[in-house]
Amino acid sequence: MENSTNKLPRHIAIVMDGNGRWAKQRHRPRTFGHRAGQKAVRAVIEACLRRGIEALTLFAFSSENWKRPQEEVGALMELFLKALDREVNELHGYGVRIRFVGELAAFAPALRERMQAAMDKTAGNAKLALNIAVNYGGRWDIAQAARRAAQAVVRGEIDATQIDEARLAGYFSLAELPPLDLFIRTGGEKRVSNFLLWQLAYAELVFSDALWPDFDAAHLDAAIADFAGRERRYGKTSAQISNGDSGAA
């Protein structure tokens, strides 16, 4: 697909950071912040639906998050289960297609079953592609894409000499979606934390000081306005863009 040159991003990705600090400011446990963050998730999904955003990818649980205290990880898993049971039917009614991306085999069978059920139920929806990255890492995504390409070579489907950037791109987790246009990280940190490393190549980056539970439609609109004010050149010059040569490099 062509990269977006529109003022409205087609595909937004968000690192939802700051739940723990938000809870600490209120002298509450980190799990309190994670529960509050679910409201922000709902607000952003609804805002994307109203604005006609095609795809939203949320970084919910990284492959590195297993290193956190066992109590917090357990609480997060419980929140996932409850959220799936509570939200899927309504999101399905809104036309949201839910997809979980990452190494799902690491999760307990009960959680995997609910994830699969949510994906199966919403598979035919087309209003918003909601991707929830769990046990996901950008390096993992690159490695699994390379592995899938190698397996295709072994099966005789392609020749190794045919593997270029365009061919490899088809083996990534979000290959069927529009290219990533806008990356947002909340919580004031300015790093990508191993998220969508391949897909970030030409994305616009916005870093918000808002802690995730405080992030709402107004914050999203501010990020989209920032995106709309940028000139996306894809390696070309401003003069080329002005003359209508806006194709991706």
Side-chain angles (χ1 to χ4, degrees):
M1 295 183 181
E2 293 294 325
N3 285 282
S4 171
T5 55
N6 298 324
K7 295 304 182 182
L8 188 70
R10 298 175 65 194
H11 186 174
I12 298 174
I14 305 178
V15 174
M16 306 177 293
D17 194 19
N19 289 338
R21 281 171 285 158
W22 186 90
K24 185 177 181 180
Q25 289 175 358
R26 289 155 178 79
H27 308 289
R28 302 295 297 274
R30 292 176 60 87
T31 52
F32 180 74
H34 292 309
R35 287 194 294 271
Q38 288 187 326
K39 296 180 181 178
V41 170
R42 181 62 177 267
V44 167
I45 291 172
E46 291 177 353
C48 286
L49 284 167
R50 290 194 298 270
R51 287 151 184 76
I53 304 298
E54 295 179 43
L56 172 66
T57 302
L58 301 176
F59 204 8
F61 191 84
S62 77
S63 51
E64 289 80 15
N65 284 156
W66 293 109
K67 302 173 186 177
R68 293 189 175 189
Q70 186 174 357
E71 180 182 354
E72 181 178 353
V73 172
L76 280 169
M77 296 303 106
E78 185 178 353
L79 282 174
F80 283 155
L81 284 169
K82 290 181 178 178
L84 284 171
D85 291 340
R86 183 177 61 248
E87 302 288 350
V88 169
N89 286 337
E90 191 164 0
L91 291 174
H92 178 53
Y94 290 151
V96 175
R97 186 184 72 194
I98 301 171
R99 185 178 171 201
F100 294 91
V101 295
E103 187 54 72
L104 305 185
F107 294 105
L111 183 52
R112 292 202 308 272
E113 289 172 6
R114 282 177 169 84
M115 289 178 181
Q116 190 61 54
M119 290 190 285
D120 291 343
K121 186 179 186 68
T122 63
N125 296 336
K127 187 72 177 293
L128 172 68
L130 173 62
N131 312 291
I132 304 173
V134 288
N135 196 27
Y136 174 92
R139 291 177 177 175
W140 167 86
D141 205 1
I142 293 171
Q144 67 89 28
R147 184 168 58 251
R148 291 173 66 190
Q151 290 168 344
V153 172
V154 171
R155 291 192 299 266
E157 296 171 0
I158 59 173
D159 188 85
T161 59
Q162 296 177 302
I163 300 176
D164 54 13
E165 289 184 22
R167 175 83 66 171
L168 188 61
Y171 294 105
F172 279 83
S173 296
L174 306 179
E176 79 285 1
L177 297 176
L180 181 61
D181 289 319
L182 175 59
F183 167 95
I184 302 169
R185 182 178 184 136
T186 66
E189 303 288 355
K190 295 179 173 61
R191 56 179 177 269
V192 299
S193 293
N194 195 24
F195 186 41
L196 300 177
L197 297 180
W198 176 277
Q199 296 87 347
L200 277 168
Y202 280 103
E204 299 296 324
L205 277 59
V206 172
F207 297 98
S208 171
D209 289 330
L211 301 177
W212 177 246
D214 294 326
F215 196 86
D216 57 16
H219 290 98
L220 181 66
D221 283 342
I224 291 174
D226 191 339
F227 169 88
R230 301 185 187 185
E231 183 181 64
R232 309 185 76 199
R233 297 192 296 273
Y234 304 109
K236 301 181 185 298
T237 67
S238 295
Q240 286 176 298
I241 299 300
S242 298
N243 289 332
D245 184 3
S246 59

